Amino acid sequence: MAPKSIAVLTSGGDAPGMNAAIRAVTRSALFRGWQVYGVRHGYTGLIEGIFEQFTARSVGGIIQQGGTLLGSARCEEFMTEDGRLRALRELAQHGVDGLVVIGGNGSQSGAYCLSQMGFPVVGVASTIDNDLVGSDITIGVDTALNVALEAIDRLKITASSHERAFLVEVMGRKSGYLALMAGIAGGAEIVIIPEIEMPPEKVAEELSRAYTLGKGHALGVVAEGAQHDAHSLVAYFKEHHARIGFDVRVTTLGHVQRGGAPTAYDRILATRLGAGAVAALARGESGVVVGVIRNEVASTPLSEVVGKQKPISPELFELAHIMNQ
Ligand code: F6P
């Protein structure tokens, strides 16, 4: 049965485009004549009953803004059954009979648990990491990638002026997607990611090779979760300076990648997925995540999503290496 009143929340790390998704959920639901509540601070607000009834105006002027107007959190209490029961009580008290959860892996695990308790929940695939099964690309990735790319382009200019070697550390505790794509698009000499073992000596070899090939700079992109992160690589270069012959400098982009205005791609993706989540609830679906698969909006059961990590493409990793000549 289709719900008549839904709530929407954002959870986990914010991603540019979350606001566009909140707007799309709200306006699609209002269009169907449903009521909509925005829940503040992710699952924490669900447990504590921090709900606000939304009109179309509540979500006006936000499509171009990064971050999330609802606020986000990583909520430990929601991981307990007691926390989830409190959330169910708050939903019932507000007369809400459907929930949309906009977020990545951890957030969708919470959505799955709630749906297993019998409450209708639909997820929207949103994380800059692009590691969520159920969507070829997730909300926020395109913007984060473009932020990383701008930094890489700038670093290459200063690196070339001084014939220096740089490592750029991008986000991704478990996933190397951002690093790999930023490496391909930014023309990096090497990409260092959690999924593929990369000994420091190999990093030194690849960066040295850039000079042998006559390049004026050498640049590596490192994911924060790589076995040898940027700082341990710097230490390795320092320790072996006499043999390697040069040092590396590190720029850590960190949370800068999560801020900023969403790109056109992220705004459109978020709008499609937010509307898709409402359509899924209207069809009576629950316990699914809405993503984009081969450019079509599609639902995937959360049972096939939670606890999994979307693998990176070995072909793309190989491509990054082939381009390094
Ligand atoms: O999950 C998105 C992400 O930005 C990861 O890339 C990063 O490792 C993590 O969140 C950082 O989390 P926090 O903002 O809680 O430090």
Side-chain angles (χ1 to χ4, degrees):
M1 255 231 324
K4 298 213 165 38
S5 180
I6 65 164
V8 55
L9 63 83
T10 49
S11 163
D14 63 315
M18 276 185 162
N19 275 327
I22 296 166
R23 174 180 178 270
V25 169
T26 304
R27 293 191 177 172
S28 304
L30 292 172
F31 187 76
R32 289 174 189 270
W34 301 354
Q35 286 191 321
V36 184
Y37 289 89
V39 181
R40 304 269 172 202
H41 316 306
Y43 288 118
T44 307
L46 203 60
I47 290 172
E48 292 176 6
I50 315 171
F51 290 44
E52 183 190 326
Q53 191 166 356
F54 273 2
T55 66
R57 292 283 68 72
S58 313
V59 292
I62 63 168
I63 194 169
Q64 71 276 29
Q65 289 173 12
T68 159
L69 122 135
L70 289 172
S72 192
R74 302 190 194 271
C75 176
E76 301 258 314
E77 200 181 344
F78 197 74
M79 293 177 191
T80 67
E81 176 143 21
D82 193 43
R84 293 194 290 274
L85 286 171
R86 279 183 65 191
L88 285 177
R89 277 197 293 276
E90 288 298 334
L91 286 161
Q93 253 169 32
H94 287 83
V96 171
D97 48 7
L99 176 67
V100 176
V101 172
I102 303 167
N105 268 323
S107 314
Q108 301 309 335
S109 298
Y112 182 55
C113 290
L114 208 59
S115 71
Q116 290 288 88
M117 293 166 92
F119 194 83
V121 190
V122 167
V124 170
S126 175
T127 163
I128 66 161
D129 289 350
N130 203 26
D131 57 350
L132 192 69
V133 171
S135 198
D136 292 343
I137 187 145
T138 50
I139 296 168
V141 173
D142 188 62
T143 309
L145 201 46
N146 279 294
V147 171
L149 207 48
E150 191 184 334
I152 288 170
D153 289 348
R154 285 168 188 252
L155 283 169
K156 272 183 129 174
I157 292 169
T158 174
S160 298
S161 307
H162 294 268
E163 299 203 333
R164 277 176 177 159
F166 271 88
L167 291 174
V168 185
E169 188 176 280
V170 301
M171 276 192 151
R173 243 191 311 248
K174 294 185 188 154
S175 161
Y177 183 89
L178 270 184
L180 177 55
M181 292 311 197
I184 291 174
E189 270 59 61
I190 188 164
V191 170
I192 303 142
I193 57 178
E195 293 89 338
I196 294 175
E197 172 70 31
M198 187 65 69
E201 197 48 41
K202 175 83 179 147
V203 178
E205 257 171 46
E206 290 293 333
L207 293 182
S208 303
R209 200 165 76 95
Y211 295 115
T212 316
L213 291 170
K215 297 185 188 182
H217 62 264
L219 188 128
V221 182
V222 192
E224 62 173 321
Q227 286 97 335
H228 301 282
D229 67 9
H231 291 282
S232 72
L233 288 169
V234 168
Y236 184 87
F237 273 75
K238 276 213 168 74
E239 198 186 329
H240 299 273
H241 179 87
R243 179 171 50 83
I244 298 171
F246 59 93
D247 287 330
V248 279
R249 284 168 164 75
V250 173
T251 299
T252 303
L253 298 184
H255 290 79
V256 165
Q257 288 154 105
R258 292 222 306 244
T263 57
Y265 184 88
D266 272 328
R267 296 181 203 192
I268 293 163
L269 177 67
T271 302
R272 292 177 75 199
L273 299 192
V278 171
L281 281 171
R283 290 192 298 269
E285 290 181 22
S286 178
V288 296
V289 67
V290 173
V292 68
I293 299 175
R294 291 188 199 88
N295 204 27
E296 297 290 336
V297 174
S299 301
T300 304
L302 282 167
S303 57
E304 295 172 18
V305 172
V306 299
K308 301 217 173 89
Q309 170 99 8
K310 189 163 63 187
I312 60 127
S313 149
E315 290 80 21
L316 286 174
F317 190 77
E318 177 66 7
L319 183 62
H321 180 65
I322 292 169
M323 290 301 121
N324 162 24
Q325 291 180 43

PDB file of all heavy atoms in Angstrom, residues 74 127-129 171-173 224 255 258, ligand 1:
ATOM      1  N   ARG A  74      26.415  10.382  12.132  1.00  0.00           N
ATOM      2  CA  ARG A  74      26.635   8.926  12.184  1.00  0.00           C
ATOM      3  C   ARG A  74      26.146   8.529  13.566  1.00  0.00           C
ATOM      4  O   ARG A  74      26.718   8.931  14.571  1.00  0.00           O
ATOM      5  CB  ARG A  74      28.110   8.591  11.986  1.00  0.00           C
ATOM      6  CG  ARG A  74      28.672   9.127  10.647  1.00  0.00           C
ATOM      7  CD  ARG A  74      30.055   8.558  10.374  1.00  0.00           C
ATOM      8  NE  ARG A  74      30.747   9.289   9.309  1.00  0.00           N
ATOM      9  CZ  ARG A  74      30.663   8.990   8.004  1.00  0.00           C
ATOM     10  NH1 ARG A  74      29.912   7.988   7.607  1.00  0.00           N
ATOM     11  NH2 ARG A  74      31.337   9.687   7.107  1.00  0.00           N
ATOM     12  N   THR A 127      26.783   8.916  -1.790  1.00  0.00           N
ATOM     13  CA  THR A 127      28.076   8.964  -1.104  1.00  0.00           C
ATOM     14  C   THR A 127      29.141   9.364  -2.112  1.00  0.00           C
ATOM     15  O   THR A 127      29.096   8.910  -3.263  1.00  0.00           O
ATOM     16  CB  THR A 127      28.476   7.596  -0.486  1.00  0.00           C
ATOM     17  OG1 THR A 127      29.884   7.606  -0.199  1.00  0.00           O
ATOM     18  CG2 THR A 127      28.208   6.416  -1.408  1.00  0.00           C
ATOM     19  N   ILE A 128      30.097  10.181  -1.688  1.00  0.00           N
ATOM     20  CA  ILE A 128      31.146  10.575  -2.636  1.00  0.00           C
ATOM     21  C   ILE A 128      32.064   9.396  -2.957  1.00  0.00           C
ATOM     22  O   ILE A 128      32.826   9.445  -3.904  1.00  0.00           O
ATOM     23  CB  ILE A 128      31.989  11.779  -2.134  1.00  0.00           C
ATOM     24  CG1 ILE A 128      32.802  11.413  -0.894  1.00  0.00           C
ATOM     25  CG2 ILE A 128      31.137  13.010  -1.920  1.00  0.00           C
ATOM     26  CD1 ILE A 128      33.963  12.366  -0.636  1.00  0.00           C
ATOM     27  N   ASP A 129      31.994   8.316  -2.149  1.00  0.00           N
ATOM     28  CA  ASP A 129      32.924   7.191  -2.325  1.00  0.00           C
ATOM     29  C   ASP A 129      32.590   6.297  -3.524  1.00  0.00           C
ATOM     30  O   ASP A 129      33.432   5.530  -3.975  1.00  0.00           O
ATOM     31  CB  ASP A 129      32.950   6.324  -1.068  1.00  0.00           C
ATOM     32  CG  ASP A 129      33.632   7.015   0.096  1.00  0.00           C
ATOM     33  OD1 ASP A 129      34.238   8.074  -0.122  1.00  0.00           O
ATOM     34  OD2 ASP A 129      33.544   6.494   1.223  1.00  0.00           O
ATOM     35  N   MET A 171      39.761  11.460  -0.542  1.00  0.00           N
ATOM     36  CA  MET A 171      38.970  10.666   0.400  1.00  0.00           C
ATOM     37  C   MET A 171      38.753   9.245  -0.120  1.00  0.00           C
ATOM     38  O   MET A 171      38.907   8.973  -1.299  1.00  0.00           O
ATOM     39  CB  MET A 171      37.638  11.356   0.658  1.00  0.00           C
ATOM     40  CG  MET A 171      37.765  12.415   1.729  1.00  0.00           C
ATOM     41  SD  MET A 171      36.155  12.975   2.276  1.00  0.00           S
ATOM     42  CE  MET A 171      36.557  13.438   3.943  1.00  0.00           C
ATOM     43  N   GLY A 172      38.324   8.404   0.784  1.00  0.00           N
ATOM     44  CA  GLY A 172      38.047   7.005   0.453  1.00  0.00           C
ATOM     45  C   GLY A 172      38.769   6.094   1.424  1.00  0.00           C
ATOM     46  O   GLY A 172      39.898   5.698   1.202  1.00  0.00           O
ATOM     47  N   ARG A 173      38.072   5.832   2.559  1.00  0.00           N
ATOM     48  CA  ARG A 173      38.699   4.988   3.587  1.00  0.00           C
ATOM     49  C   ARG A 173      38.818   3.551   3.107  1.00  0.00           C
ATOM     50  O   ARG A 173      39.797   2.885   3.346  1.00  0.00           O
ATOM     51  CB  ARG A 173      37.873   5.045   4.869  1.00  0.00           C
ATOM     52  CG  ARG A 173      38.648   5.654   6.022  1.00  0.00           C
ATOM     53  CD  ARG A 173      37.959   5.494   7.351  1.00  0.00           C
ATOM     54  NE  ARG A 173      36.569   5.864   7.362  1.00  0.00           N
ATOM     55  CZ  ARG A 173      36.064   6.908   8.008  1.00  0.00           C
ATOM     56  NH1 ARG A 173      36.856   7.717   8.667  1.00  0.00           N
ATOM     57  NH2 ARG A 173      34.780   7.136   8.020  1.00  0.00           N
ATOM     58  N   GLU A 224      42.852   7.887   0.927  1.00  0.00           N
ATOM     59  CA  GLU A 224      43.210   7.977   2.360  1.00  0.00           C
ATOM     60  C   GLU A 224      43.332   6.607   3.022  1.00  0.00           C
ATOM     61  O   GLU A 224      44.077   6.429   3.971  1.00  0.00           O
ATOM     62  CB  GLU A 224      42.180   8.834   3.123  1.00  0.00           C
ATOM     63  CG  GLU A 224      40.775   8.263   3.106  1.00  0.00           C
ATOM     64  CD  GLU A 224      39.800   9.029   3.999  1.00  0.00           C
ATOM     65  OE1 GLU A 224      40.212   9.448   5.088  1.00  0.00           O
ATOM     66  OE2 GLU A 224      38.646   9.171   3.608  1.00  0.00           O
ATOM     67  N   HIS A 255      38.143  16.885   3.623  1.00  0.00           N
ATOM     68  CA  HIS A 255      36.712  17.216   3.532  1.00  0.00           C
ATOM     69  C   HIS A 255      36.394  18.298   2.511  1.00  0.00           C
ATOM     70  O   HIS A 255      35.225  18.508   2.197  1.00  0.00           O
ATOM     71  CB  HIS A 255      36.185  17.609   4.916  1.00  0.00           C
ATOM     72  CG  HIS A 255      36.110  16.442   5.854  1.00  0.00           C
ATOM     73  ND1 HIS A 255      37.216  15.952   6.488  1.00  0.00           N
ATOM     74  CD2 HIS A 255      35.068  15.662   6.225  1.00  0.00           C
ATOM     75  CE1 HIS A 255      36.860  14.911   7.230  1.00  0.00           C
ATOM     76  NE2 HIS A 255      35.573  14.720   7.085  1.00  0.00           N
ATOM     77  N   ARG A 258      34.055  17.259  -0.060  1.00  0.00           N
ATOM     78  CA  ARG A 258      32.622  17.060   0.220  1.00  0.00           C
ATOM     79  C   ARG A 258      31.844  18.362   0.140  1.00  0.00           C
ATOM     80  O   ARG A 258      30.619  18.347   0.060  1.00  0.00           O
ATOM     81  CB  ARG A 258      32.444  16.420   1.610  1.00  0.00           C
ATOM     82  CG  ARG A 258      32.935  14.999   1.689  1.00  0.00           C
ATOM     83  CD  ARG A 258      32.018  14.100   2.465  1.00  0.00           C
ATOM     84  NE  ARG A 258      31.702  14.574   3.784  1.00  0.00           N
ATOM     85  CZ  ARG A 258      32.043  13.947   4.921  1.00  0.00           C
ATOM     86  NH1 ARG A 258      32.723  12.823   4.863  1.00  0.00           N
ATOM     87  NH2 ARG A 258      31.695  14.422   6.075  1.00  0.00           N
TER      88      ARG A 258
HETATM   89  O1  F6P B   1      31.912   8.114   3.323  1.00  0.00           O
HETATM   90  C1  F6P B   1      32.296   9.320   2.780  1.00  0.00           C
HETATM   91  C2  F6P B   1      33.578   9.799   3.412  1.00  0.00           C
HETATM   92  O2  F6P B   1      33.828  11.106   2.949  1.00  0.00           O
HETATM   93  C3  F6P B   1      34.811   8.923   3.179  1.00  0.00           C
HETATM   94  O3  F6P B   1      35.425   9.107   1.949  1.00  0.00           O
HETATM   95  C4  F6P B   1      35.686   9.333   4.334  1.00  0.00           C
HETATM   96  O4  F6P B   1      36.620   8.331   4.624  1.00  0.00           O
HETATM   97  C5  F6P B   1      34.685   9.535   5.441  1.00  0.00           C
HETATM   98  O5  F6P B   1      33.459   9.861   4.825  1.00  0.00           O
HETATM   99  C6  F6P B   1      35.062  10.596   6.424  1.00  0.00           C
HETATM  100  O6  F6P B   1      34.116  10.607   7.431  1.00  0.00           O
HETATM  101  P1  F6P B   1      33.934  11.760   8.495  1.00  0.00           P
HETATM  102  O7  F6P B   1      33.382  12.950   7.777  1.00  0.00           O
HETATM  103  O8  F6P B   1      32.978  11.214   9.492  1.00  0.00           O
HETATM  104  O9  F6P B   1      35.292  12.048   9.021  1.00  0.00           O
END
